[in-house]
Amino acid sequence: MKLDTTGMESAAPVWGSHNELVDGFSAAPSFELPNTTDFDGFQKEAIQMVKPAKGTTTLAFIFKEGVMVAADSRASMGGYISSQSVKKIIEINPYMLGTMAGGAADCQFWHRNLGIKCRLHELANKRRISVTGASKLLANILYSYRGMGLSVGTMIAGWDETGPGLYYVDNEGGRLKGMRFSVGSGSPYAYGVLDNGYRYDMSVEEAAELARRAIYHATFRDGASGGVASVYYVGPNGWKKLSGDDVGELHYRYYPVMPSTVEQEMAEVTGA
Amino acid sequence: MARYDRAITVFSPDGHLFQVEYALEAVRKGNAAVGVRGTDIVVLGVEKKSTAKLQDSRSVKKIVNLDNHIALACAGLKADARVLINRARIECQSHRLTVEDPVTVEYITRYIAGLQQKYTQSGGVRPFGLSTLIVGFDPYSGVPSLYQTDPSGTFSAWKANATGRNSNSIREFLEKNYKETSGQETIKLAIRALLEVVESGGKHIEVAVMTKEHGLRQLEEAEIDAIAAEIEAEKEAAEAAKKAPPKEK
């Protein structure tokens, strides 16, 4: 499938773009083959290259009051923790958030690109783009780069005319609509806590606490997740950052150190 | 001046694009088309030149659907219309596919107008020889709209408009008699406007009505005849009323 370069085109149209004029349909779809000797193995190689990289925990869920989005902030390169303070929740526009899992550069670039497209849509159509539309734009772009090694596992969360919206979009071009998602190496642990504690009618504080705890538990067990647990809330007036707690501190908040009964006290040896 | 209308990309010294103006001439020779916007309904009416006896009239429908909620009527070169309509229909579906939402009337009008403009600024092609009247309902707000485009690629929204033959007289009539109407009243207004320049009767006009609930509906000949008869009766009553009062004194 032809690469979707609409995000990277300059504003001025190419002079005399005849192919559009001559035919309403584009020519029979053909995709550009990657420049390698082993085409069949190419995709497998590309996937292997990026496999360990989705070391992260992100989650999002819809509840009565809106959408709750949370993520950790650790970046790892194999066993090396390269950063404890990565912003994994990307602000696409004042009423839409995207989460980052997979290749940091890929996620950041394509989310910014999506923000551009959303803004252009607003200007052209005098109305905000829906979460459905925004997630579809991103999914179409990622699909056109399928098999070329992009690593993106993202959730698009927002509030539009139809209410709260949440979509999961990944580098395979898949796009799922849902009420609860968690993405990353720590997601199984987060799902455990999230699915257990989830109720549709929670208050904003209850939902924030659930999100925070789910991220904390994931960072506790998953080595590739850690740092700071950020929690964002998306409501009818847009998103708002609720908290950013260091998971180490969260640990002692949830499991404070109890003074234990001492069996034998060590006494100072007099003299010596 | 003759030297400035060969290649379209060329302006004349006094700022004219002659091919575009010639295209507007073609529109002026096309059959009359009128569109009226009501509060809950939009009506399109087109003059029907008498069909030949052996022609199957069903194959010459002049008011077409672009999508479930958008319809189009045009005046000018019918072959050009077919091409433009096909491109617009594809765009309506393509929009549904990429954004999972139906187009707004304004979006598809902008697309058609953009297409018409492209053909005024490219080498080796001529402009489309038609003006369109596009009607429909906004899929989100349910508000009805009427837009018009022309060969130069400009477009704007209207409460009521006409294009094609004698469009000036129809527009004058509409300017004098337009008021916010709904339902049957809007249909009557559109037919009255068209009958200013067209022979009366269901045989000579084609009328289609679009509502939010039922989409596009073509009126039957009998229906049009009935409404035309109503209009005639009203006209006569108005004439009689004008003459009567002096006698009643």
PDB file of all heavy atoms in Angstrom, chain B residues 68-87:
ATOM      1  N   ASN B  68     -26.792   9.338   1.249  1.00  0.00           N
ATOM      2  CA  ASN B  68     -28.159   9.242   1.779  1.00  0.00           C
ATOM      3  C   ASN B  68     -28.742  10.596   2.141  1.00  0.00           C
ATOM      4  O   ASN B  68     -29.957  10.779   2.103  1.00  0.00           O
ATOM      5  CB  ASN B  68     -28.176   8.387   3.055  1.00  0.00           C
ATOM      6  CG  ASN B  68     -27.819   6.966   2.747  1.00  0.00           C
ATOM      7  OD1 ASN B  68     -27.979   6.515   1.619  1.00  0.00           O
ATOM      8  ND2 ASN B  68     -27.323   6.265   3.740  1.00  0.00           N
ATOM      9  N   HIS B  69     -27.884  11.522   2.499  1.00  0.00           N
ATOM     10  CA  HIS B  69     -28.393  12.774   3.044  1.00  0.00           C
ATOM     11  C   HIS B  69     -28.019  13.978   2.182  1.00  0.00           C
ATOM     12  O   HIS B  69     -28.168  15.111   2.619  1.00  0.00           O
ATOM     13  CB  HIS B  69     -27.836  12.959   4.455  1.00  0.00           C
ATOM     14  CG  HIS B  69     -26.340  12.991   4.478  1.00  0.00           C
ATOM     15  ND1 HIS B  69     -25.556  11.959   4.024  1.00  0.00           N
ATOM     16  CD2 HIS B  69     -25.479  13.951   4.862  1.00  0.00           C
ATOM     17  CE1 HIS B  69     -24.281  12.277   4.149  1.00  0.00           C
ATOM     18  NE2 HIS B  69     -24.204  13.488   4.659  1.00  0.00           N
ATOM     19  N   ILE B  70     -27.494  13.746   0.988  1.00  0.00           N
ATOM     20  CA  ILE B  70     -27.078  14.867   0.121  1.00  0.00           C
ATOM     21  C   ILE B  70     -27.581  14.617  -1.293  1.00  0.00           C
ATOM     22  O   ILE B  70     -27.451  13.497  -1.811  1.00  0.00           O
ATOM     23  CB  ILE B  70     -25.544  14.974   0.060  1.00  0.00           C
ATOM     24  CG1 ILE B  70     -24.940  14.910   1.451  1.00  0.00           C
ATOM     25  CG2 ILE B  70     -25.139  16.209  -0.693  1.00  0.00           C
ATOM     26  CD1 ILE B  70     -24.045  16.013   1.797  1.00  0.00           C
ATOM     27  N   ALA B  71     -28.139  15.654  -1.919  1.00  0.00           N
ATOM     28  CA  ALA B  71     -28.597  15.530  -3.309  1.00  0.00           C
ATOM     29  C   ALA B  71     -28.070  16.696  -4.129  1.00  0.00           C
ATOM     30  O   ALA B  71     -27.690  17.738  -3.586  1.00  0.00           O
ATOM     31  CB  ALA B  71     -30.122  15.501  -3.364  1.00  0.00           C
ATOM     32  N   LEU B  72     -28.061  16.510  -5.449  1.00  0.00           N
ATOM     33  CA  LEU B  72     -27.477  17.519  -6.329  1.00  0.00           C
ATOM     34  C   LEU B  72     -28.317  17.678  -7.585  1.00  0.00           C
ATOM     35  O   LEU B  72     -28.822  16.689  -8.128  1.00  0.00           O
ATOM     36  CB  LEU B  72     -26.054  17.070  -6.695  1.00  0.00           C
ATOM     37  CG  LEU B  72     -25.268  17.886  -7.731  1.00  0.00           C
ATOM     38  CD1 LEU B  72     -23.791  17.806  -7.392  1.00  0.00           C
ATOM     39  CD2 LEU B  72     -25.465  17.362  -9.128  1.00  0.00           C
ATOM     40  N   ALA B  73     -28.478  18.924  -8.019  1.00  0.00           N
ATOM     41  CA  ALA B  73     -29.093  19.202  -9.323  1.00  0.00           C
ATOM     42  C   ALA B  73     -28.160  20.158 -10.035  1.00  0.00           C
ATOM     43  O   ALA B  73     -27.444  20.925  -9.397  1.00  0.00           O
ATOM     44  CB  ALA B  73     -30.471  19.839  -9.145  1.00  0.00           C
ATOM     45  N   CYS B  74     -28.144  20.117 -11.374  1.00  0.00           N
ATOM     46  CA  CYS B  74     -27.208  21.000 -12.044  1.00  0.00           C
ATOM     47  C   CYS B  74     -27.780  21.540 -13.344  1.00  0.00           C
ATOM     48  O   CYS B  74     -28.786  21.050 -13.855  1.00  0.00           O
ATOM     49  CB  CYS B  74     -25.899  20.286 -12.330  1.00  0.00           C
ATOM     50  SG  CYS B  74     -26.127  18.782 -13.238  1.00  0.00           S
ATOM     51  N   ALA B  75     -27.109  22.560 -13.851  1.00  0.00           N
ATOM     52  CA  ALA B  75     -27.476  23.142 -15.134  1.00  0.00           C
ATOM     53  C   ALA B  75     -26.209  23.251 -15.961  1.00  0.00           C
ATOM     54  O   ALA B  75     -25.188  23.720 -15.474  1.00  0.00           O
ATOM     55  CB  ALA B  75     -28.085  24.522 -14.932  1.00  0.00           C
ATOM     56  N   GLY B  76     -26.280  22.809 -17.221  1.00  0.00           N
ATOM     57  CA  GLY B  76     -25.107  22.902 -18.081  1.00  0.00           C
ATOM     58  C   GLY B  76     -24.862  21.602 -18.808  1.00  0.00           C
ATOM     59  O   GLY B  76     -25.800  20.879 -19.141  1.00  0.00           O
ATOM     60  N   LEU B  77     -23.593  21.295 -19.055  1.00  0.00           N
ATOM     61  CA  LEU B  77     -23.240  20.100 -19.810  1.00  0.00           C
ATOM     62  C   LEU B  77     -23.481  18.854 -18.974  1.00  0.00           C
ATOM     63  O   LEU B  77     -22.836  18.629 -17.950  1.00  0.00           O
ATOM     64  CB  LEU B  77     -21.760  20.156 -20.214  1.00  0.00           C
ATOM     65  CG  LEU B  77     -21.428  20.789 -21.570  1.00  0.00           C
ATOM     66  CD1 LEU B  77     -22.121  22.120 -21.757  1.00  0.00           C
ATOM     67  CD2 LEU B  77     -19.928  20.960 -21.719  1.00  0.00           C
ATOM     68  N   LYS B  78     -24.410  18.033 -19.432  1.00  0.00           N
ATOM     69  CA  LYS B  78     -24.796  16.867 -18.625  1.00  0.00           C
ATOM     70  C   LYS B  78     -23.693  15.818 -18.552  1.00  0.00           C
ATOM     71  O   LYS B  78     -23.565  15.092 -17.577  1.00  0.00           O
ATOM     72  CB  LYS B  78     -26.068  16.226 -19.196  1.00  0.00           C
ATOM     73  CG  LYS B  78     -27.288  17.061 -18.947  1.00  0.00           C
ATOM     74  CD  LYS B  78     -27.604  17.102 -17.445  1.00  0.00           C
ATOM     75  CE  LYS B  78     -28.772  17.989 -17.144  1.00  0.00           C
ATOM     76  NZ  LYS B  78     -28.443  19.292 -16.607  1.00  0.00           N
ATOM     77  N   ALA B  79     -22.867  15.739 -19.616  1.00  0.00           N
ATOM     78  CA  ALA B  79     -21.795  14.738 -19.584  1.00  0.00           C
ATOM     79  C   ALA B  79     -20.760  15.107 -18.544  1.00  0.00           C
ATOM     80  O   ALA B  79     -20.245  14.245 -17.812  1.00  0.00           O
ATOM     81  CB  ALA B  79     -21.166  14.618 -20.963  1.00  0.00           C
ATOM     82  N   ASP B  80     -20.423  16.407 -18.466  1.00  0.00           N
ATOM     83  CA  ASP B  80     -19.508  16.860 -17.423  1.00  0.00           C
ATOM     84  C   ASP B  80     -20.093  16.569 -16.050  1.00  0.00           C
ATOM     85  O   ASP B  80     -19.374  16.207 -15.116  1.00  0.00           O
ATOM     86  CB  ASP B  80     -19.275  18.371 -17.546  1.00  0.00           C
ATOM     87  CG  ASP B  80     -18.401  18.713 -18.737  1.00  0.00           C
ATOM     88  OD1 ASP B  80     -18.030  17.778 -19.490  1.00  0.00           O
ATOM     89  OD2 ASP B  80     -18.098  19.901 -18.925  1.00  0.00           O
ATOM     90  N   ALA B  81     -21.432  16.736 -15.946  1.00  0.00           N
ATOM     91  CA  ALA B  81     -22.099  16.499 -14.662  1.00  0.00           C
ATOM     92  C   ALA B  81     -21.866  15.077 -14.192  1.00  0.00           C
ATOM     93  O   ALA B  81     -21.579  14.822 -13.023  1.00  0.00           O
ATOM     94  CB  ALA B  81     -23.592  16.776 -14.798  1.00  0.00           C
ATOM     95  N   ARG B  82     -21.968  14.136 -15.115  1.00  0.00           N
ATOM     96  CA  ARG B  82     -21.818  12.730 -14.747  1.00  0.00           C
ATOM     97  C   ARG B  82     -20.452  12.484 -14.112  1.00  0.00           C
ATOM     98  O   ARG B  82     -20.341  11.828 -13.079  1.00  0.00           O
ATOM     99  CB  ARG B  82     -21.990  11.857 -15.993  1.00  0.00           C
ATOM    100  CG  ARG B  82     -22.603  10.508 -15.696  1.00  0.00           C
ATOM    101  CD  ARG B  82     -22.849   9.709 -16.946  1.00  0.00           C
ATOM    102  NE  ARG B  82     -21.698   9.648 -17.817  1.00  0.00           N
ATOM    103  CZ  ARG B  82     -21.699  10.020 -19.099  1.00  0.00           C
ATOM    104  NH1 ARG B  82     -22.795  10.499 -19.648  1.00  0.00           N
ATOM    105  NH2 ARG B  82     -20.598   9.945 -19.824  1.00  0.00           N
ATOM    106  N   VAL B  83     -19.409  13.036 -14.728  1.00  0.00           N
ATOM    107  CA  VAL B  83     -18.054  12.839 -14.212  1.00  0.00           C
ATOM    108  C   VAL B  83     -17.918  13.442 -12.819  1.00  0.00           C
ATOM    109  O   VAL B  83     -17.429  12.804 -11.880  1.00  0.00           O
ATOM    110  CB  VAL B  83     -17.036  13.509 -15.168  1.00  0.00           C
ATOM    111  CG1 VAL B  83     -15.665  13.522 -14.554  1.00  0.00           C
ATOM    112  CG2 VAL B  83     -17.012  12.781 -16.492  1.00  0.00           C
ATOM    113  N   LEU B  84     -18.416  14.680 -12.673  1.00  0.00           N
ATOM    114  CA  LEU B  84     -18.298  15.370 -11.389  1.00  0.00           C
ATOM    115  C   LEU B  84     -19.072  14.629 -10.302  1.00  0.00           C
ATOM    116  O   LEU B  84     -18.605  14.469  -9.168  1.00  0.00           O
ATOM    117  CB  LEU B  84     -18.848  16.784 -11.547  1.00  0.00           C
ATOM    118  CG  LEU B  84     -18.280  17.874 -10.653  1.00  0.00           C
ATOM    119  CD1 LEU B  84     -16.781  17.917 -10.750  1.00  0.00           C
ATOM    120  CD2 LEU B  84     -18.873  19.210 -11.060  1.00  0.00           C
ATOM    121  N   ILE B  85     -20.264  14.152 -10.661  1.00  0.00           N
ATOM    122  CA  ILE B  85     -21.091  13.450  -9.684  1.00  0.00           C
ATOM    123  C   ILE B  85     -20.403  12.169  -9.228  1.00  0.00           C
ATOM    124  O   ILE B  85     -20.397  11.834  -8.035  1.00  0.00           O
ATOM    125  CB  ILE B  85     -22.490  13.159 -10.275  1.00  0.00           C
ATOM    126  CG1 ILE B  85     -23.285  14.458 -10.377  1.00  0.00           C
ATOM    127  CG2 ILE B  85     -23.244  12.155  -9.428  1.00  0.00           C
ATOM    128  CD1 ILE B  85     -24.525  14.350 -11.218  1.00  0.00           C
ATOM    129  N   ASN B  86     -19.796  11.441 -10.177  1.00  0.00           N
ATOM    130  CA  ASN B  86     -19.106  10.216  -9.782  1.00  0.00           C
ATOM    131  C   ASN B  86     -17.967  10.496  -8.818  1.00  0.00           C
ATOM    132  O   ASN B  86     -17.793   9.801  -7.825  1.00  0.00           O
ATOM    133  CB  ASN B  86     -18.567   9.491 -11.022  1.00  0.00           C
ATOM    134  CG  ASN B  86     -19.656   8.735 -11.741  1.00  0.00           C
ATOM    135  OD1 ASN B  86     -20.660   8.364 -11.134  1.00  0.00           O
ATOM    136  ND2 ASN B  86     -19.486   8.511 -13.025  1.00  0.00           N
ATOM    137  N   ARG B  87     -17.181  11.536  -9.115  1.00  0.00           N
ATOM    138  CA  ARG B  87     -16.072  11.882  -8.230  1.00  0.00           C
ATOM    139  C   ARG B  87     -16.599  12.254  -6.847  1.00  0.00           C
ATOM    140  O   ARG B  87     -16.032  11.894  -5.819  1.00  0.00           O
ATOM    141  CB  ARG B  87     -15.262  13.052  -8.790  1.00  0.00           C
ATOM    142  CG  ARG B  87     -14.644  12.787 -10.150  1.00  0.00           C
ATOM    143  CD  ARG B  87     -13.359  12.015 -10.043  1.00  0.00           C
ATOM    144  NE  ARG B  87     -12.277  12.812  -9.518  1.00  0.00           N
ATOM    145  CZ  ARG B  87     -11.469  13.563 -10.260  1.00  0.00           C
ATOM    146  NH1 ARG B  87     -11.646  13.644 -11.565  1.00  0.00           N
ATOM    147  NH2 ARG B  87     -10.496  14.259  -9.710  1.00  0.00           N
TER     148      ARG B  87
END
